[in-house]
Amino acid sequence: MMSVTKGALSVGTATLYSRREIRLILAFALLGTLFDGAELNLIGYPLVYISGSLHVSTIALITVATVQGFASILGGFVFGTLGDTLGRRRTFAISVVAFGIAATLGGLAVNYEMFMATRVLAGIGMGGLFGLSFSMFTECWKTARRGTMGGIIQAMYFVGEILTEGVLFLFLTVLGHDLGWRAGYIGIGIISTVIGIASLKLLPESKQWLAYQQHLKAGTLPEDLRRTKVPVVDIFKPQFVVGTVLFMVLSTAMFLTTNSVGAYLSTYLLATQKLPLDTVSLIVLIGYVATIVAYTLTGVVSDTIRRKYAFTLASAVGTVGFVWFLVLLGTKSAHVGPDFWAWPAFWALMLCAAAAGGFGVLGVWMSEFFPTRIRSTGSSASYYVGRGLGAGIFPLFALTIAGTVPFALALGIIGPVTGLVFSLMAPDRTGRAIADLE
């Protein structure tokens, strides 16, 4: 490892990882994103059954989801900071274990207040998963096809949603409505806790982070490369503040896009279009698949035309989809029948779902922008601010503003249009080598 002395140039070295180390880091990065997606459905999917068990309204549980979203903002700053000061491995383990304990206690909750507390803990805990997963991955992966693999990692978010639904559906079917969701929570919680503990043993620490820490302790860092005791301060320094703010805006735009479809699509198809549940479930599943494909394709494209332009392209596709859907609504032609593939509204909605492809490049894009010393903080804070605003606030007010479910869904056009504009302003360091000192 190259060393520097005080006052030396801002130079570091890229570090090689063994194949085994890369495989382990990749495995835990995939799991981290999977848990991040799983958390989203732990309330939404069994919401009716949880409200019955705790004797509260569905609005009360939507409030829980909102509070959890805001807690994830705090978690993004806390666990992002820990990732840069305590290390990627230990912080990842703490984050996953917190998620697991929260899920387990949630299944044992005897009242609304206890359930709320467990969800706040889960929100804080999951605040480290995205930034840590992409920091670890970006630091170990060679520059070639980094965007492609990053898109695959982000696609695990929806795999997590699908697996959560599957596990909860199984327990609800076998054990009934009250015991079912509780057993699902406890099962997911125990598995998550075991994986979190295992990461302490199996997950390799970032070699770039270790090298930086050695320089920091030895006092051999140039002044401009010294991290403050609170890395959150650093991400708002002049050389990073524009990128930090823009990534927060782009993250909010993506969450607003995905939540407009996720929150209202099923209701639109069931209540407005009067489709049977099995048809609606199939359409929603196809939407998930379309999103997974969009994540992966956007990552692939980003390796060719740069991260920002791939994000812009995904936003353009989404904008076309939402405009098409709005035109159909305005002309009273937004209909979807049992043969859904024959209706323009279905294809417009699939384009709306594809707008989420921007997420497929966002993690790698941010990780390449921030230097090693603040990579976890910058990525986590930017992502979870967006999650809190786009997934927390938007669903509460969209229906009130739009007036009807179809137009609340269409209001999601704000997301891709915002992404279209601000992605062109954001900094881009596509495919750069990641060094310890930079």
Side-chain angles (χ1 to χ4, degrees), residues 164-289:
T164 302
E165 287 191 15
V167 170
L168 290 173
F169 176 79
L170 175 63
F171 281 110
L172 286 166
T173 302
V174 174
L175 299 177
H177 294 170
D178 181 53
L179 289 178
W181 73 265
R182 292 180 181 279
Y185 266 57
I186 293 171
I188 291 170
I190 291 174
I191 292 172
S192 303
T193 302
V194 169
I195 291 174
I197 294 172
S199 68
L200 281 173
K201 175 70 174 177
L202 299 175
L203 177 61
E205 183 55 271
S206 164
K207 293 185 179 182
Q208 288 90 341
W209 180 82
L210 286 172
Y212 181 84
Q213 291 300 111
Q214 291 174 356
H215 289 300
L216 189 63
K217 290 178 181 178
T220 56
L221 286 174
E223 185 66 31
D224 60 331
L225 295 185
R226 293 177 187 173
R227 187 182 61 223
T228 61
K229 292 183 178 180
V230 183
V232 172
V233 174
D234 293 34
I235 67 174
F236 291 104
K237 285 185 175 180
Q239 64 267 46
F240 303 118
V241 64
V242 172
T244 297
V245 172
L246 284 173
F247 284 129
M248 287 179 176
V249 171
L250 294 175
S251 180
T252 302
M254 282 294 95
F255 273 110
L256 194 153
T257 302
T258 57
N259 275 273
S260 67
V261 178
Y264 297 111
L265 178 59
S266 295
T267 303
Y268 168 69
L269 296 172
L270 286 168
T272 306
Q273 298 300 316
K274 309 297 184 184
L275 292 175
L277 180 60
D278 58 345
T279 302
V280 171
S281 299
L282 178 58
I283 293 174
V284 171
L285 179 60
I286 292 173
Y288 281 165
V289 173

Side-chain angles (χ1 to χ4, degrees), residues 220-380:
T220 56
L221 286 174
E223 185 66 31
D224 60 331
L225 295 185
R226 293 177 187 173
R227 187 182 61 223
T228 61
K229 292 183 178 180
V230 183
V232 172
V233 174
D234 293 34
I235 67 174
F236 291 104
K237 285 185 175 180
Q239 64 267 46
F240 303 118
V241 64
V242 172
T244 297
V245 172
L246 284 173
F247 284 129
M248 287 179 176
V249 171
L250 294 175
S251 180
T252 302
M254 282 294 95
F255 273 110
L256 194 153
T257 302
T258 57
N259 275 273
S260 67
V261 178
Y264 297 111
L265 178 59
S266 295
T267 303
Y268 168 69
L269 296 172
L270 286 168
T272 306
Q273 298 300 316
K274 309 297 184 184
L275 292 175
L277 180 60
D278 58 345
T279 302
V280 171
S281 299
L282 178 58
I283 293 174
V284 171
L285 179 60
I286 292 173
Y288 281 165
V289 173
T291 305
I292 291 172
V293 171
Y295 280 173
T296 306
L297 286 178
T298 306
V300 172
V301 171
S302 78
D303 284 325
T304 303
I305 64 170
R306 303 187 71 80
R307 315 293 183 223
K308 66 189 301 178
Y309 299 131
F311 189 100
T312 303
L313 180 61
S315 297
V317 170
T319 300
V320 170
F322 278 103
V323 169
W324 188 6
F325 186 63
L326 274 169
V327 170
L328 292 173
L329 286 176
T331 57
K332 302 188 184 304
S333 303
H335 304 301
V336 181
D339 53 340
F340 54 85
W341 58 87
W343 296 84
F346 166 77
W347 295 106
L349 290 169
M350 290 303 101
L351 289 180
C352 293
F359 268 138
V361 70
L362 191 59
V364 171
W365 188 7
M366 291 192 295
S367 293
E368 289 178 331
F369 169 72
F370 293 107
T372 296
R373 64 185 182 276
I374 57 169
R375 179 167 295 115
S376 175
T377 304
S379 297
S380 293

